[in-house]
């Protein structure tokens, strides 16, 4: 048993939908190591997207079966594995009833904005997969385990970039002399981000109508690949996406620096977003589970620790990469997205810290959780995957653009 | 040619998705009579719901083929008919490209809140059908006719019942010393109403990203069955739903009064909503088409003319029914929905009137457009369809509740 941790989970049964993914895998092991009884449910569509688009994680990840098996050997903890589609009600309802979770952590969605903008078919897939999947989770809880706490991953991208402060889920408005607290207005910037907005509205309704306890975590952009448990054995290593479709800004910049590719800032680079370390993601989930929402409440936490502009991040990668021998150049490329490139941004994120989150800071994590991995695995980098592959203004109705990710130009 | 009207439509090509439905049929004829070139696209799923659930319109409606044929004879105007599913891209994109509309009026959704709450399968159907259908419309416009104006039917139910005034689509908020105009916060009360919220978010994104011109009409509850064109011939008569699933409050109360059934107010009856006459619906659509939104703009109009509480309406039916020999009793029944029964409600609806809408008022329409029909067709009323059939708190995961509408108790 090479993994050490307190056992404060005390057998709490947690179903992790999307548990083979980037956040889900790290969270599954984090919770399993701490005494929670974990079931991973995943249809492996994320691995299928990689196959279809010719993408590959930087880190060599094991199959889900090998991962789970190895984790059993390393930790002496059993993770229950259910392979199937959340949108398939027969499969999902059986799995849910059999495991009868105390909490469901729902990561299981198509989560790439560029993927959702490749073509009409993938826009439709993304909204169907995400919206219907979440409806199924709500019905399962209502019908089979009304006390089960739903911990749902949303995104900070739901808010867009309003010209006022971003609050955590709700906004108190005084208008024509009357006051109410209302869901914070949403202005999402891709079919993916929109699917999360739809989920949030559906969950709010179900929480109120069916007295479900729900936590909606509006997560910022996650970076890094190191968590204690995923580092415990090579077969447990987490995925690290650096391509133009699934790679998020920071992860991509670091890989670009590692291989001597210019750091590609989209447009002016004033786009400001919330970020967090994957080690904080797993803690946030644990905190949400340990401090459940009330029945009938959809509680919203903004799950990120620091906000940066894309330019800030590029500069940081360049500065911290230099002592490690990297000589990164920063270039601006035409922005393939439709988004404000200079804007006000001030998003609140106090609630998870009030519940005990102790943030890792990017300045510290850059070296050990990012640059170190990018340099270690840089021979695996496929240069053709680095550029942006999807243009928001073009999104065609014809499919056959699967080659977008690897096209030659 | 028995239909007289000005020909101010001047051949403007309008595709009416859902043109076999209640609002769509009246609108198609209204526009056709006025010189617009009309294509109806409908998959007839509304008629299929009636068959499956054992429901029936009060008025005897002709088949869509007979309707359209008869209209050609009566008006000497040809309506182009496309039978098929908006969610079927091959079918829809062909029909759209062939007709190449200047405006698309999109009524083609599953539009009953109770239907969407019958069971899990119908909740999923409603959100899939409505959300994916609207995505298809957006892609068709973007790809094949970027200047086509989208006129999309939303609902006042998207707003819920906030404790502040309801504005037309957007709310100007001052918060911590900064100001922005943001999408009005949405709090929908059924999977159906939620599907409209999702549509609105998707349309706002597409309008901005793809420079589409869109008008989102947040329509109130439509009443009445009389429009000039649908009265021109028995084969043209419009549908009138009075059952517990598709019948809206006012239409149902009138039928109840006509057959001597007590008027069934859900709960306290303080639920206040916006209402409009079907004769105003058709005018609003014409006004929206004649005054298109700008490219890149999603313009929102609240499409209703008067607001009433359910109690107000029951009283009005009782009062105006009396001189026509109806002796209606008003009873309160347990509310099958989850909604506030006493609340603040003040919704703005100035924009369509600024563009020329001259409202019919319920006090005047009650007799000629409602009571008259209910009395004329009262022998067709099936008493077992009158009661509420769907309970919001129960919505099971199992299907086979199709009998909900006609169950004996
Ligand atoms: N990674 C980030 O920076 C980030 C930021 C904000 C929010 N999020 C959210 O966190 C969650 C996890 O993100 P991630 O980066 O780990 O994504 P990921 O793609 O690596 O993981 C998602 C997992 O869900 C599975 N999945 C998808 N649809 C499914 C379905 N219908 N049935 C069963 N399994 C299904 C996939 O196979 C995959 O393993 C997502 O909901 C995402 O939107 C992620
Ligand atoms: N009737 C009201 O009081 C009211 C109030 C507010 C908003 N609305 C909205 O106005 C619109 C029309 O309402 P209505 O009362 O006429 O409804 P309706 O059900 O009578 O008409 C809708 C029509 O759309 C068709 N349709 C549905 N899905 C389709 C698909 N995938 N492909 C092709 N056709 C499809 C149906 O067959 C039907 O003929 C709806 O969008 C509704 O939400 C209606």
């Amino acid at each position: 048993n090479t993994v050490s941790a307190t056992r404060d989970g005390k057998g709490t049964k947690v179903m992790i939908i999307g548990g083979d993914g980037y956040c889900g895998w790290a969270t599954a092991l984090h919770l399993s190591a701490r005494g929670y009884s974990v079931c991973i449910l995943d249809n492996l569509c994320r691995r299928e997207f990689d196959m279809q688009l010719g993408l590959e994680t930087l880190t060599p990840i094991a199959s889900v079966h090998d991962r789970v098996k190895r984790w059993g050997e390393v930790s002496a903890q059993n993770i229950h594995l259910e392979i199937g589609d959340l949108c398939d009600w027969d499969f999902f309802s059986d799995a849910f009833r059999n495991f009868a979770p105390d909490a469901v952590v729902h990561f299981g969605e198509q989560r790439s904005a560029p993927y959702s903008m490749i073509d009409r078919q993938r826009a439709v897939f993304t909204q169907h997969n995400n919206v219907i999947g979440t409806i199924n989770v709500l019905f399962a809880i209502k019908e089979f385990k009304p006390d089960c706490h739903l911990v749902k991953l949303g995104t900070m991208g739901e808010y867009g970039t309003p010209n006022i402060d971003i609050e955590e889920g709700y906004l108190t408005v005084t208008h024509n002399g009357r006051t109410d607290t209302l869901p914070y207005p949403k202005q999402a910037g891709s079919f993916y981000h929109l699917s999360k907005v739809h989920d949030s509205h559906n969950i709010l309704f179900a929480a109120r109508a069916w007295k479900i306890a729900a936590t909606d975590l509006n997560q910022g952009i996650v970076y890094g690949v190191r968590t204690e448990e995923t580092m415990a054995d090579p077969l447990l290593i987490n995925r690290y996406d650096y391509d133009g479709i699934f790679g998020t800004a920071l992860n991509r910049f670091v890989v670009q620096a590692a291989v001597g590719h210019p750091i590609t800032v989209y447009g002016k680079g004033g786009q400001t977003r919330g970020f967090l370390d994957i080690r904080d993601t797993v803690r946030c989930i644990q905190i949400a589970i340990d401090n459940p929402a009330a029945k009938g409440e959809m509680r919203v936490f903004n799950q990120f620790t620091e906000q940066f502009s894309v330019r800030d991040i590029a500069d940081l990668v360049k500065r911290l990469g230099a002592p490690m021998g990297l000589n990164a150049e920063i270039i601006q490329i035409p922005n393939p997205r439709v988004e404000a490139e200079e804007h006000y941004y001030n998003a609140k994120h106090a609630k998870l810290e009030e519940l005990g989150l102790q943030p890792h800071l990017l300045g510290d994590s850059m070296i050990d959780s990012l640059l170190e991995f990018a340099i270690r695995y840089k021979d695996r980098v496929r240069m053709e995957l680095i550029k942006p592959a999807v243009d928001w203004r073009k999104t065609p109705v014809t499919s056959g653009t699967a080659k977008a990710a690897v096209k030659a130009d």
Side-chain angles (χ1 to χ4, degrees), chain A residues 58-59 225-226 231 240 254 258 279 320-321 324 326 364-378:
Chain A
L58 179 69
T59 45
V225 65
R226 171 187 295 280
M231 295 305 295
Y240 183 121
V254 171
R279 290 172 287 199
L320 295 181
M324 299 180 80
L326 307 181
D364 304 326
S365 305
M366 180 63 89
I367 313 257
D368 70 332
S369 192
L370 280 160
L371 283 165
E372 193 187 299
F373 282 86
I375 292 169
R376 186 183 322 162
Y377 291 107
K378 75 171 195 288

Side-chain angles (χ1 to χ4, degrees), chain A residues 237-256:
Chain A
I237 197 165
N238 204 349
R239 63 182 311 129
Y240 183 121
D241 300 313
Y242 64 94
D243 62 89
I245 293 183
F246 285 94
T248 49
L250 185 45
N251 284 354
R252 263 189 306 126
F253 289 174
V254 171
V255 166
Q256 291 175 334

